[in-house]
Amino acid sequence: SDPKEVSDALGTWEEYFAAGENLQAALGDDVKLTDNIGSIYTQVNAQSDKIYFNKDETFIGEDSSSSMKKAWDLAVKASQMGLLANANGSTSEWNAAMNNGKIASFVGAVWNKEVLMQAAPDTAGKWRVARAPGGDGNNGGSFLSIMRTSKHPKEAFEVIKWLQNPENQVKSFTDVNLFPSAVKALDAKELLKKEDFFGGQATGEIFTESARNVKPAYFGSKYANLNGIVSRQLQSVALQGKNPDVAWKAALARVKKELLR
C-alpha cells in the first residue's frame, strides 16, 4: 500500500488495532499485526513529552499528565485483542517471524531498519515505512561518554565532537542506518536515497519529517530501570495470562521500591 495512505488511515493506535483485526480475519491467525506487548508500551511512551519523571526527577507515572497508564492500557488492549506475535526484539524468534511473514508490521526506531534487513533478507522489497500511529516519537539512540578517570578528557571530547559532527552522522546513516541527531544533517541528500529493501522507497523522507516533529521529553536517570520493571509485568500479562489490574499494581509497587534505592 502507499505509505501516505497507510499513515492517513492508521493515524491512531485504535485505527491501527482495528486494521489488525481486519488483517488477521483475512489472512488467518498465523499472521499477527505486530510483534510484542513491550514494544507497544515503549512506543506509546516514546510519543509523549511526559513519561516517568519531571525534570526535578519527581515520579509522575500516576499523574494524568503522564503517558505511562495510557501506554499500559493500549499495550494490554493489543494483547487482549490477539494482535501480538509475542516475539520479543533481539531474539531468534523475532528474526524468524519477520523473515517468514508472520508479523505484518511493527513500530520502531530508525535503527530497526538495519535490524530488519539483517533478520529478514527473504522479505526484501516487501516492506514500506509510514508515519507511526499515535504520532512521532523518540525511542532513544546511541550515547558517548568520557570516564572521570580519563587522562585526556579534553582530547576525548574533541574526538566525540568530530565523530558526532553532521557529516559523520550522515555517514553513519548511510553505513548502518543510524539516524542523525544533528539538525543540520536532516537536509543531506543521502537521507533521500531510494532503497531496494523497501521497494524503492526513500525511507529517509518519512524519518526526517518525523524527526522534525518529535516532542522533546525528559527521560530521567532511572528510565531504563522503570521501563524494565513495567515491561516484565506486561510480559506476564501477555505470556502468562496475569490479570492486567493486578500486574499494574505490582508494577507500581516495584517502581516505588526502586525509587527508594
Side-chain angles (χ1 to χ4, degrees):
S1 299
D2 176 73
K4 187 179 186 308
E5 291 180 4
V6 172
S7 297
D8 291 343
L10 309 182
T12 68
W13 286 97
E14 289 78 10
E15 289 172 334
Y16 181 52
F17 293 168
E21 282 190 307
N22 292 337
L23 178 143
Q24 292 178 202
L27 300 181
D29 202 44
D30 287 340
V31 178
K32 293 294 184 179
L33 172 68
T34 191
D35 49 5
N36 64 79
I37 194 168
S39 177
I40 292 179
Y41 175 78
T42 298
Q43 294 301 333
V44 175
N45 278 328
Q47 295 164 344
S48 172
D49 57 350
K50 295 183 184 299
I51 308 172
Y52 296 127
F53 300 101
N54 280 329
K55 289 185 178 180
D56 64 0
E57 293 283 315
T58 301
F59 177 64
I60 60 171
E62 293 181 280
D63 189 87
S64 59
S65 66
S66 166
S67 60
M68 185 178 174
K69 187 60 165 62
K70 174 186 176 183
W72 173 280
D73 289 342
L74 282 168
V76 168
K77 181 178 181 180
S79 179
Q80 292 175 334
M81 292 174 69
L83 304 178
L84 307 178
N86 292 324
N88 291 328
S90 304
T91 66
S92 58
E93 288 79 12
W94 191 92
N95 295 353
M98 290 296 175
N99 198 44
N100 296 331
K102 306 254 181 212
I103 296 174
S105 66
F106 67 96
V107 183
V110 187
W111 45 261
N112 270 123
K113 277 178 56 186
E114 187 70 20
V115 176
L116 178 66
M117 292 165 69
Q118 293 185 21
D122 295 343
T123 65
K126 297 180 180 180
W127 292 92
R128 303 291 184 274
V129 175
R131 298 287 281 278
D136 305 301
N138 170 26
N139 188 12
S142 303
F143 304 87
L144 295 174
S145 61
I146 302 168
M147 293 183 67
R148 184 177 296 176
T149 55
S150 172
K151 295 180 180 180
H152 304 283
K154 292 182 179 179
E155 292 84 352
F157 186 65
E158 290 303 314
V159 172
I160 289 176
K161 283 170 63 178
W162 178 81
L163 285 171
Q164 293 298 294
N165 69 36
E167 294 78 14
N168 280 331
Q169 287 196 14
V170 171
K171 181 170 175 55
S172 293
F173 176 79
T174 303
D175 292 347
V176 290
N177 284 308
L178 289 179
F179 194 78
S181 58
V183 175
K184 288 183 179 179
L186 298 181
D187 296 322
K189 65 180 186 301
E190 288 86 346
L191 272 64
L192 303 180
K193 180 182 178 181
K194 294 183 178 180
E195 303 164 73
D196 292 339
F197 188 89
F198 294 94
Q201 181 188 12
T203 65
E205 291 182 353
I206 301 290
F207 293 125
T208 297
E209 187 64 21
S210 293
R212 295 187 191 279
N213 289 280
V214 170
K215 300 175 184 177
Y218 182 74
F219 275 31
S221 60
K222 287 197 171 185
Y223 171 87
N225 305 55
L226 269 58
N227 218 55
I229 289 169
V230 179
S231 294
R232 285 189 288 275
Q233 287 296 331
L234 282 170
Q235 290 291 332
S236 71
V237 173
L239 302 180
Q240 300 166 17
K242 189 172 183 177
N243 182 286
D245 294 333
V246 173
W248 170 253
K249 291 176 182 177
L252 281 179
R254 184 66 186 85
V255 161
K256 291 174 181 177
K257 185 176 181 180
E258 174 68 22
L259 295 176
L260 292 174
R261 295 177 62 182

